[in-house]
Amino acid sequence: MKRKVIIFGLLVLMSIGLEYEMENLYFGEVTLLELGEYLSGLGLVVIYCIPLGLLMRRLWRQVGLSFEAGVITIMVGCFVSGWLAGEANTYIESLWYLALPNAEWLIDWNDALAAPFVEEILKCACALLVMYLIGERRLSAAFVIGMVIGFGFQLIEDLNYVLQAETITFEMAAYRAAGALSSHWMMTGVTTAGVWGLWSWYREKVESLSLSWLWVSALMPMGLHFIWNSPLGYLWVTSLVSAAIIYLWGRLYLTWFGRTELCVGEDAAVFDGIKRKGEDGCQPYN
């Protein structure tokens, strides 16, 4: 019964999100020149999506998740997490201005005081909700599901930025594509793995990664997002932030997809990265 209620709620949110995002992506009346500019910007976004999509498809299949689960996850990422985060950002930013009406510094810091916390929490919550719906408990699956949720969020966000750009659309698309490697898909994958790992550590007493590393994975993406959105986000600072995000993601990637083989099926452990292929009756992935 609980799953049915959650599924119905997600369908409602998804329907709202679909209409919300389609309205935002509406071109309006444009000239042929403007249409060409829009399409060139969208093309650039699509180009970076292809290799990222192929990577996530490979990892998705490698952890043994179903196609149906993939459809649910990408739809939730695109049409649930995005618009909810947008509305929540606007609401929290308004609260800051109400609480500090005369604070001039708030103009520069507003983006850093809302989006990093709202977006990372909502994306992670959506990923954990999908895990609950499909009955998934493995930490490697949490990592990949988080990536797909973040990818859906990132795709919709970039399309909105490109189509609503006040400057040249292609320049905005190039700017968004330049930061795509270390953007939401990486941060949400790391955050979800960290949060689910902490839950498993404290609730189920299951140990794999160190507790300190799990806390770092759960919280650091939010902190890095804060720095990125703040006035501190100069070129060399954002480069350091990108490097830190890639390092966090790479550390987790190597844990489950580098040095060890994954186990799939009912006998797989919650922390499948610590099992070697074929051990303890675990069904090896082919």
Side-chain angles (χ1 to χ4, degrees):
M1 182 62 183
K2 189 185 295 185
R3 274 193 171 87
K4 292 180 180 178
V5 171
I6 293 174
I7 289 172
F8 178 76
L10 277 179
L11 288 174
V12 172
L13 292 175
M14 210 175 292
S15 299
I16 296 172
L18 186 60
E19 183 175 355
Y20 181 96
E21 300 299 350
M22 290 303 105
E23 287 181 358
N24 285 341
L25 298 179
Y26 176 59
F27 284 130
E29 295 183 6
V30 295
T31 65
L32 286 177
L33 182 61
E34 290 173 329
L35 180 61
E37 190 176 310
Y38 281 132
L39 294 178
S40 65
L42 292 175
L44 190 56
V45 173
V46 170
I47 287 173
Y48 88 69
C49 285
I50 292 173
L52 292 184
L54 290 174
L55 171 63
M56 275 172 268
R57 177 176 176 270
R58 176 180 176 274
L59 297 181
W60 191 269
R61 296 179 63 185
Q62 198 167 344
V63 295
L65 295 169
S66 68
F67 173 79
E68 292 78 9
V71 173
I72 293 171
T73 306
I74 192 66
M75 290 292 287
V76 170
C78 287
F79 301 117
V80 176
S81 63
W83 76 269
L84 283 177
E87 292 296 311
N89 282 339
T90 301
Y91 179 73
I92 291 177
E93 287 171 2
S94 300
L95 288 180
W96 276 114
Y97 281 116
L98 286 174
L100 302 168
N102 299 318
E104 295 183 0
W105 59 268
L106 194 57
I107 297 174
D108 295 325
W109 283 89
N110 200 25
D111 288 342
L113 295 175
F117 308 101
V118 169
E119 292 176 4
E120 299 310 322
I121 290 172
L122 274 175
K123 288 183 296 175
C124 181
C126 286
L128 295 176
L129 192 60
V130 169
M131 289 183 65
Y132 174 78
L133 287 178
I134 66 176
E136 185 56 68
R137 297 172 63 248
R138 291 171 298 152
L139 192 50
S140 61
F143 181 54
V144 179
I145 289 170
M147 280 194 285
V148 176
I149 290 287
F151 179 68
F153 181 99
Q154 179 177 331
L155 176 60
I156 292 296
E157 182 181 70
D158 286 353
L159 289 176
N160 275 302
Y161 269 106
V162 169
L163 295 179
Q164 297 175 18
E166 296 179 359
T167 57
I168 299 175
T169 304
F170 188 81
E171 289 183 1
M172 175 58 74
Y175 172 76
R176 302 298 301 181
L181 177 61
S182 56
S183 190
H184 291 285
W185 69 279
M186 273 193 179
M187 289 191 287
T188 311
V190 172
T191 302
T192 305
V195 170
W196 182 248
L198 289 171
W199 170 265
S200 300
W201 181 289
Y202 288 111
R203 182 67 182 268
E204 303 179 9
K205 308 301 182 184
V206 179
E207 299 182 11
S208 174
L209 298 175
S210 68
L211 183 60
S212 59
W213 184 253
L214 290 173
W215 276 109
V216 167
S217 300
L219 297 177
M220 188 171 284
M222 193 182 299
L224 294 172
H225 195 168
F226 171 83
I227 296 172
W228 186 286
N229 281 23
S230 76
L232 303 174
Y234 301 107
L235 178 60
W236 66 273
V237 176
T238 56
S239 298
L240 290 175
V241 169
S242 295
I245 294 170
I246 293 170
Y247 175 80
L248 286 172
W249 183 87
R251 171 73 161 76
L252 296 178
Y253 174 85
L254 290 175
T255 299
W256 298 301
F257 302 97
R259 294 185 295 272
T260 62
E261 295 289 343
L262 284 177
C263 298
V264 299
E266 295 181 356
D267 296 325
V270 176
F271 290 88
D272 45 22
I274 62 174
K275 273 193 172 184
R276 294 289 178 179
K277 181 177 178 180
E279 284 184 351
D280 300 328
C282 183
Q283 175 189 352
Y285 172 82
N286 295 315

